[in-house]
Short mmCIF file of all heavy atoms in Angstrom, two decimals:
data_model
loop_
_atom_site.label_atom_id
_atom_site.label_comp_id
_atom_site.label_asym_id
_atom_site.label_seq_id
_atom_site.Cartn_x
_atom_site.Cartn_y
_atom_site.Cartn_z
N TYR A 1 -63.74 0.21 100.91
CA TYR A 1 -64.92 0.53 101.71
C TYR A 1 -65.38 -0.63 102.58
O TYR A 1 -66.40 -0.53 103.24
CB TYR A 1 -66.06 0.98 100.78
CG TYR A 1 -65.62 2.11 99.90
CD1 TYR A 1 -65.31 1.90 98.57
CD2 TYR A 1 -65.46 3.39 100.42
CE1 TYR A 1 -64.87 2.94 97.76
CE2 TYR A 1 -65.01 4.44 99.62
CZ TYR A 1 -64.73 4.20 98.30
OH TYR A 1 -64.27 5.22 97.50
N SER A 2 -64.61 -1.70 102.59
CA SER A 2 -64.98 -2.86 103.40
C SER A 2 -64.37 -2.75 104.78
O SER A 2 -63.15 -2.76 104.94
CB SER A 2 -64.49 -4.15 102.73
OG SER A 2 -64.64 -5.23 103.62
N LYS A 3 -65.22 -2.66 105.77
CA LYS A 3 -64.77 -2.58 107.16
C LYS A 3 -63.89 -3.77 107.52
O LYS A 3 -62.84 -3.62 108.13
CB LYS A 3 -66.02 -2.54 108.05
CG LYS A 3 -65.77 -2.69 109.53
CD LYS A 3 -67.10 -2.66 110.26
CE LYS A 3 -67.02 -3.25 111.63
NZ LYS A 3 -68.33 -3.28 112.28
N TRP A 4 -64.30 -4.97 107.10
CA TRP A 4 -63.56 -6.16 107.52
C TRP A 4 -62.26 -6.35 106.75
O TRP A 4 -61.28 -6.82 107.30
CB TRP A 4 -64.46 -7.39 107.48
CG TRP A 4 -65.34 -7.35 108.68
CD1 TRP A 4 -66.66 -7.02 108.72
CD2 TRP A 4 -64.93 -7.52 110.04
NE1 TRP A 4 -67.11 -7.00 110.02
CE2 TRP A 4 -66.06 -7.31 110.86
CE3 TRP A 4 -63.73 -7.83 110.66
CZ2 TRP A 4 -66.04 -7.40 112.23
CZ3 TRP A 4 -63.70 -7.93 112.04
CH2 TRP A 4 -64.83 -7.71 112.81
N ILE A 5 -62.22 -5.98 105.49
CA ILE A 5 -60.94 -6.07 104.77
C ILE A 5 -59.93 -5.13 105.42
O ILE A 5 -58.77 -5.49 105.63
CB ILE A 5 -61.11 -5.82 103.26
CG1 ILE A 5 -61.87 -7.01 102.64
CG2 ILE A 5 -59.76 -5.62 102.58
CD1 ILE A 5 -62.21 -6.86 101.17
N ASN A 6 -60.38 -3.96 105.81
CA ASN A 6 -59.48 -3.03 106.51
C ASN A 6 -59.02 -3.61 107.85
O ASN A 6 -57.85 -3.48 108.22
CB ASN A 6 -60.15 -1.68 106.71
CG ASN A 6 -60.24 -0.91 105.41
OD1 ASN A 6 -59.26 -0.73 104.71
ND2 ASN A 6 -61.44 -0.47 105.06
N LYS A 7 -59.91 -4.26 108.57
CA LYS A 7 -59.53 -4.90 109.84
C LYS A 7 -58.55 -6.05 109.60
O LYS A 7 -57.61 -6.26 110.36
CB LYS A 7 -60.75 -5.39 110.60
CG LYS A 7 -61.54 -4.27 111.25
CD LYS A 7 -62.66 -4.83 112.11
CE LYS A 7 -63.55 -3.73 112.63
NZ LYS A 7 -63.03 -3.03 113.77
N GLU A 8 -58.76 -6.82 108.53
CA GLU A 8 -57.85 -7.92 108.21
C GLU A 8 -56.45 -7.39 107.92
O GLU A 8 -55.46 -7.98 108.35
CB GLU A 8 -58.39 -8.73 107.02
CG GLU A 8 -59.62 -9.53 107.39
CD GLU A 8 -60.40 -10.05 106.19
OE1 GLU A 8 -60.03 -9.74 105.03
OE2 GLU A 8 -61.39 -10.76 106.42
N ILE A 9 -56.37 -6.29 107.20
CA ILE A 9 -55.06 -5.67 106.93
C ILE A 9 -54.40 -5.27 108.25
O ILE A 9 -53.22 -5.55 108.49
CB ILE A 9 -55.20 -4.44 106.01
CG1 ILE A 9 -55.60 -4.88 104.60
CG2 ILE A 9 -53.92 -3.62 105.98
CD1 ILE A 9 -56.02 -3.74 103.67
N GLU A 10 -55.17 -4.62 109.11
CA GLU A 10 -54.63 -4.18 110.40
C GLU A 10 -54.15 -5.37 111.23
O GLU A 10 -53.06 -5.33 111.81
CB GLU A 10 -55.72 -3.41 111.16
CG GLU A 10 -55.23 -2.83 112.47
CD GLU A 10 -56.33 -2.05 113.18
OE1 GLU A 10 -57.05 -1.29 112.52
OE2 GLU A 10 -56.45 -2.24 114.40
N ILE A 11 -54.94 -6.42 111.31
CA ILE A 11 -54.55 -7.62 112.07
C ILE A 11 -53.28 -8.22 111.46
O ILE A 11 -52.33 -8.52 112.18
CB ILE A 11 -55.68 -8.66 112.07
CG1 ILE A 11 -56.90 -8.14 112.84
CG2 ILE A 11 -55.20 -9.99 112.68
CD1 ILE A 11 -58.18 -8.95 112.62
N ALA A 12 -53.25 -8.38 110.15
CA ALA A 12 -52.11 -9.00 109.47
C ALA A 12 -50.82 -8.22 109.70
O ALA A 12 -49.75 -8.81 109.89
CB ALA A 12 -52.38 -9.12 107.97
N LYS A 13 -50.92 -6.91 109.70
CA LYS A 13 -49.72 -6.07 109.81
C LYS A 13 -49.30 -5.75 111.24
O LYS A 13 -48.12 -5.50 111.50
CB LYS A 13 -49.93 -4.75 109.04
CG LYS A 13 -49.94 -4.93 107.54
CD LYS A 13 -48.61 -5.45 107.06
CE LYS A 13 -48.51 -5.53 105.56
NZ LYS A 13 -47.25 -6.13 105.13
N LYS A 14 -50.25 -5.76 112.20
CA LYS A 14 -49.93 -5.24 113.53
C LYS A 14 -50.10 -6.21 114.69
O LYS A 14 -49.63 -5.94 115.78
CB LYS A 14 -50.78 -4.00 113.81
CG LYS A 14 -50.49 -2.86 112.85
CD LYS A 14 -51.33 -1.65 113.15
CE LYS A 14 -50.99 -0.53 112.17
NZ LYS A 14 -51.90 0.58 112.27
N GLU A 15 -50.78 -7.34 114.46
CA GLU A 15 -51.12 -8.17 115.61
C GLU A 15 -50.36 -9.50 115.69
O GLU A 15 -50.74 -10.38 116.45
CB GLU A 15 -52.63 -8.40 115.67
CG GLU A 15 -53.35 -7.08 115.92
CD GLU A 15 -54.79 -7.25 116.37
OE1 GLU A 15 -55.18 -8.36 116.79
OE2 GLU A 15 -55.53 -6.26 116.29
N PHE A 16 -49.29 -9.61 114.93
CA PHE A 16 -48.43 -10.80 115.00
C PHE A 16 -47.00 -10.34 115.20
O PHE A 16 -46.63 -9.25 114.75
CB PHE A 16 -48.55 -11.64 113.72
CG PHE A 16 -49.93 -12.22 113.51
CD1 PHE A 16 -50.82 -11.63 112.64
CD2 PHE A 16 -50.33 -13.35 114.22
CE1 PHE A 16 -52.10 -12.14 112.46
CE2 PHE A 16 -51.61 -13.87 114.04
CZ PHE A 16 -52.49 -13.27 113.16
N ASN A 17 -46.19 -11.17 115.86
CA ASN A 17 -44.78 -10.81 116.06
C ASN A 17 -44.09 -10.54 114.73
O ASN A 17 -43.30 -9.62 114.61
CB ASN A 17 -44.04 -11.91 116.82
CG ASN A 17 -44.49 -12.00 118.26
OD1 ASN A 17 -44.96 -11.01 118.84
ND2 ASN A 17 -44.37 -13.16 118.86
N THR A 18 -44.39 -11.37 113.75
CA THR A 18 -43.90 -11.15 112.40
C THR A 18 -45.11 -10.81 111.53
O THR A 18 -46.00 -11.65 111.38
CB THR A 18 -43.21 -12.43 111.84
OG1 THR A 18 -42.16 -12.80 112.73
CG2 THR A 18 -42.68 -12.19 110.45
N PRO A 19 -45.16 -9.59 111.01
CA PRO A 19 -46.32 -9.20 110.19
C PRO A 19 -46.51 -10.16 109.01
O PRO A 19 -45.54 -10.67 108.44
CB PRO A 19 -45.96 -7.81 109.70
CG PRO A 19 -44.95 -7.30 110.68
CD PRO A 19 -44.19 -8.52 111.13
N LYS A 20 -47.75 -10.40 108.68
CA LYS A 20 -48.08 -11.25 107.53
C LYS A 20 -47.82 -10.49 106.24
O LYS A 20 -48.07 -9.29 106.15
CB LYS A 20 -49.55 -11.67 107.57
CG LYS A 20 -49.96 -12.39 108.84
CD LYS A 20 -49.29 -13.73 108.97
CE LYS A 20 -49.72 -14.43 110.25
NZ LYS A 20 -49.07 -15.73 110.37
N LYS A 21 -47.31 -11.19 105.25
CA LYS A 21 -47.09 -10.60 103.93
C LYS A 21 -48.42 -10.50 103.20
O LYS A 21 -49.24 -11.42 103.25
CB LYS A 21 -46.11 -11.44 103.11
CG LYS A 21 -44.74 -11.57 103.74
CD LYS A 21 -44.01 -10.26 103.75
CE LYS A 21 -42.59 -10.43 104.26
NZ LYS A 21 -41.87 -9.18 104.25
N ILE A 22 -48.64 -9.39 102.53
CA ILE A 22 -49.88 -9.16 101.80
C ILE A 22 -49.59 -9.01 100.31
O ILE A 22 -48.69 -8.25 99.92
CB ILE A 22 -50.60 -7.90 102.32
CG1 ILE A 22 -51.07 -8.12 103.76
CG2 ILE A 22 -51.77 -7.52 101.41
CD1 ILE A 22 -51.74 -6.91 104.40
N ILE A 23 -50.37 -9.73 99.52
CA ILE A 23 -50.32 -9.60 98.06
C ILE A 23 -51.64 -9.00 97.61
O ILE A 23 -52.71 -9.55 97.89
CB ILE A 23 -50.11 -10.97 97.38
CG1 ILE A 23 -48.78 -11.59 97.83
CG2 ILE A 23 -50.17 -10.83 95.85
CD1 ILE A 23 -48.60 -13.04 97.40
N ALA A 24 -51.56 -7.86 96.94
CA ALA A 24 -52.75 -7.24 96.36
C ALA A 24 -52.89 -7.75 94.93
O ALA A 24 -51.93 -7.73 94.16
CB ALA A 24 -52.61 -5.72 96.35
N ILE A 25 -54.09 -8.22 94.60
CA ILE A 25 -54.35 -8.74 93.26
C ILE A 25 -55.30 -7.77 92.56
O ILE A 25 -56.43 -7.58 93.00
CB ILE A 25 -54.96 -10.15 93.31
CG1 ILE A 25 -54.02 -11.10 94.05
CG2 ILE A 25 -55.25 -10.65 91.89
CD1 ILE A 25 -54.64 -12.46 94.35
N GLU A 26 -54.81 -7.16 91.49
CA GLU A 26 -55.63 -6.22 90.74
C GLU A 26 -56.53 -6.98 89.78
O GLU A 26 -56.05 -7.78 88.98
CB GLU A 26 -54.75 -5.24 89.96
CG GLU A 26 -53.96 -4.31 90.86
CD GLU A 26 -53.15 -3.29 90.09
OE1 GLU A 26 -52.54 -3.66 89.06
OE2 GLU A 26 -53.14 -2.14 90.51
N PRO A 27 -57.83 -6.74 89.84
CA PRO A 27 -58.76 -7.45 88.95
C PRO A 27 -58.55 -7.08 87.48
O PRO A 27 -58.05 -6.00 87.18
CB PRO A 27 -60.14 -6.98 89.41
CG PRO A 27 -59.93 -6.30 90.71
CD PRO A 27 -58.51 -5.85 90.76
N TRP A 28 -58.95 -8.00 86.60
CA TRP A 28 -58.91 -7.72 85.16
C TRP A 28 -59.74 -6.49 84.85
O TRP A 28 -60.81 -6.29 85.42
CB TRP A 28 -59.51 -8.89 84.36
CG TRP A 28 -58.57 -10.03 84.15
CD1 TRP A 28 -58.69 -11.28 84.69
CD2 TRP A 28 -57.39 -10.05 83.36
NE1 TRP A 28 -57.65 -12.06 84.28
CE2 TRP A 28 -56.83 -11.33 83.46
CE3 TRP A 28 -56.74 -9.09 82.58
CZ2 TRP A 28 -55.66 -11.71 82.81
CZ3 TRP A 28 -55.57 -9.46 81.93
CH2 TRP A 28 -55.05 -10.75 82.05
N ASP A 29 -59.26 -5.69 83.94
CA ASP A 29 -60.00 -4.53 83.43
C ASP A 29 -60.42 -3.53 84.50
O ASP A 29 -61.39 -2.80 84.30
CB ASP A 29 -61.24 -4.98 82.64
CG ASP A 29 -60.86 -5.76 81.40
OD1 ASP A 29 -59.75 -5.53 80.86
OD2 ASP A 29 -61.66 -6.61 80.97
N ALA A 30 -59.74 -3.54 85.63
CA ALA A 30 -60.13 -2.60 86.69
C ALA A 30 -59.65 -1.20 86.31
O ALA A 30 -58.47 -0.98 86.07
CB ALA A 30 -59.52 -3.02 88.01
N LYS A 31 -60.59 -0.29 86.25
CA LYS A 31 -60.23 1.11 85.97
C LYS A 31 -59.71 1.76 87.25
O LYS A 31 -58.81 2.57 87.23
CB LYS A 31 -61.45 1.88 85.47
CG LYS A 31 -62.10 1.28 84.24
CD LYS A 31 -61.37 1.68 82.98
CE LYS A 31 -62.09 1.25 81.73
NZ LYS A 31 -61.84 -0.10 81.31
N LYS A 32 -60.33 1.38 88.37
CA LYS A 32 -59.91 1.89 89.68
C LYS A 32 -59.64 0.70 90.59
O LYS A 32 -60.34 -0.31 90.50
CB LYS A 32 -61.01 2.75 90.30
CG LYS A 32 -61.29 4.03 89.55
CD LYS A 32 -62.33 4.84 90.26
CE LYS A 32 -62.58 6.16 89.53
NZ LYS A 32 -63.58 6.97 90.21
N THR A 33 -58.64 0.85 91.43
CA THR A 33 -58.33 -0.19 92.40
C THR A 33 -58.20 0.45 93.77
O THR A 33 -58.18 1.68 93.90
CB THR A 33 -57.03 -0.93 92.03
OG1 THR A 33 -55.98 0.01 91.90
CG2 THR A 33 -57.18 -1.72 90.74
N SER A 34 -58.09 -0.37 94.77
CA SER A 34 -58.07 0.10 96.15
C SER A 34 -56.68 0.58 96.55
O SER A 34 -55.75 -0.23 96.67
CB SER A 34 -58.52 -1.02 97.09
OG SER A 34 -58.30 -0.64 98.42
N SER A 35 -56.54 1.87 96.79
CA SER A 35 -55.26 2.39 97.27
C SER A 35 -54.99 1.89 98.69
O SER A 35 -53.84 1.68 99.07
CB SER A 35 -55.22 3.91 97.21
OG SER A 35 -56.26 4.46 97.99
N VAL A 36 -56.03 1.66 99.48
CA VAL A 36 -55.86 1.13 100.84
C VAL A 36 -55.15 -0.22 100.78
O VAL A 36 -54.18 -0.46 101.50
CB VAL A 36 -57.24 0.99 101.55
CG1 VAL A 36 -57.11 0.25 102.86
CG2 VAL A 36 -57.88 2.35 101.75
N VAL A 37 -55.64 -1.10 99.92
CA VAL A 37 -55.05 -2.43 99.79
C VAL A 37 -53.65 -2.34 99.20
O VAL A 37 -52.70 -2.95 99.71
CB VAL A 37 -55.95 -3.36 98.93
CG1 VAL A 37 -55.27 -4.68 98.64
CG2 VAL A 37 -57.29 -3.58 99.62
N LYS A 38 -53.49 -1.56 98.15
CA LYS A 38 -52.18 -1.48 97.50
C LYS A 38 -51.13 -0.85 98.41
O LYS A 38 -49.98 -1.26 98.39
CB LYS A 38 -52.29 -0.74 96.17
CG LYS A 38 -53.13 -1.57 95.18
CD LYS A 38 -53.10 -1.15 93.73
CE LYS A 38 -53.13 0.27 93.42
NZ LYS A 38 -53.32 0.56 92.00
N ASN A 39 -51.52 0.12 99.24
CA ASN A 39 -50.56 0.73 100.17
C ASN A 39 -50.12 -0.26 101.25
O ASN A 39 -49.01 -0.15 101.77
CB ASN A 39 -51.14 1.98 100.81
CG ASN A 39 -51.26 3.13 99.83
OD1 ASN A 39 -50.59 3.16 98.80
ND2 ASN A 39 -52.13 4.08 100.13
N ALA A 40 -50.98 -1.20 101.60
CA ALA A 40 -50.65 -2.19 102.63
C ALA A 40 -49.87 -3.38 102.06
O ALA A 40 -49.26 -4.15 102.80
CB ALA A 40 -51.93 -2.69 103.29
N ALA A 41 -49.88 -3.52 100.73
CA ALA A 41 -49.33 -4.72 100.10
C ALA A 41 -47.80 -4.75 100.09
O ALA A 41 -47.15 -3.72 99.93
CB ALA A 41 -49.84 -4.82 98.67
N ASP A 42 -47.28 -5.95 100.25
CA ASP A 42 -45.85 -6.18 100.07
C ASP A 42 -45.54 -6.39 98.60
O ASP A 42 -44.42 -6.17 98.16
CB ASP A 42 -45.42 -7.42 100.88
CG ASP A 42 -45.58 -7.18 102.38
OD1 ASP A 42 -44.73 -6.47 102.95
OD2 ASP A 42 -46.58 -7.65 102.95
N GLU A 43 -46.56 -6.83 97.87
CA GLU A 43 -46.42 -6.98 96.42
C GLU A 43 -47.78 -6.79 95.77
O GLU A 43 -48.81 -7.19 96.33
CB GLU A 43 -45.86 -8.37 96.08
CG GLU A 43 -45.45 -8.49 94.65
CD GLU A 43 -44.37 -9.54 94.40
OE1 GLU A 43 -43.67 -9.93 95.35
OE2 GLU A 43 -44.25 -9.95 93.24
N ILE A 44 -47.79 -6.17 94.59
CA ILE A 44 -49.01 -5.95 93.82
C ILE A 44 -48.86 -6.73 92.52
O ILE A 44 -47.85 -6.58 91.82
CB ILE A 44 -49.23 -4.45 93.52
CG1 ILE A 44 -49.32 -3.67 94.83
CG2 ILE A 44 -50.48 -4.25 92.67
CD1 ILE A 44 -49.23 -2.16 94.66
N VAL A 45 -49.86 -7.57 92.21
CA VAL A 45 -49.79 -8.37 90.99
C VAL A 45 -51.09 -8.21 90.19
O VAL A 45 -52.11 -7.80 90.72
CB VAL A 45 -49.55 -9.88 91.30
CG1 VAL A 45 -48.22 -10.07 92.01
CG2 VAL A 45 -50.69 -10.47 92.12
#
């Protein structure tokens, strides 16, 4: 639900000649996590 995190993903993936690699970090004890972030991630840890 963060406007700027979504914009950061878009910038990282689309606005450089070589897209930036994204690592999604799942918080401890998280019952729900962000599918937006995980779908954009190159790796989920």
